[in-house]
Amino acid sequence: MGKSNMLHNINKQLRITVDDGRELLGKLLVYDKHMNVVLSDVEETRPQTKKMKEEGVTATRQLGLVLLRGEHVVSVTVLPDAHSKEEKEANFDKAPKQKKTAVKRTRKE
């Protein structure tokens, strides 16, 4: 992805797939030309193995703040923001119908 494509994704939720099969879900804070990224509030999802099932280990875990080296990034997906629908559907029912004009004051000379 180019610089201009990633710039508008700052502070948005991303799902990044890493070369070993893990997926990281978090908010994009910073990126650079090598696609090194810093994500906040990261949740990691790992492929579930037989050993993990036997031991009762869950496939997801919370990591917090993550610096991910760009050479390990396989794909980046921008997740839809839950608030974006609310922002687009503005309700103007309670808005005033007419603009009130200000009272003109006369200058005292």
Side-chain angles (χ1 to χ4, degrees), residues 15 25 31 42 44 57 67 75 97-98 103 108:
R15 175 176 288 127
L25 176 69
Y31 72 97
V42 176
E44 177 191 50
V57 177
L67 169 63
S75 75
K97 302 298 179 198
Q98 294 179 349
V103 178
K108 295 181 183 179

Side-chain angles (χ1 to χ4, degrees), residues 3 16 25 29 53 89 97 108:
K3 254 186 180 179
I16 297 180
L25 176 69
L29 296 180
K53 286 181 185 178
E89 297 175 6
K97 302 298 179 198
K108 295 181 183 179

Side-chain angles (χ1 to χ4, degrees), residues 50-57:
K50 291 180 184 179
K51 186 176 181 181
M52 289 171 67
K53 286 181 185 178
E54 291 171 1
E55 295 178 0
V57 177

Side-chain angles (χ1 to χ4, degrees), residues 95-107:
K97 302 298 179 198
Q98 294 179 349
K99 184 177 179 182
K100 294 182 181 179
T101 58
V103 178
K104 287 189 176 183
R105 296 183 184 180
T106 57
R107 276 186 151 181

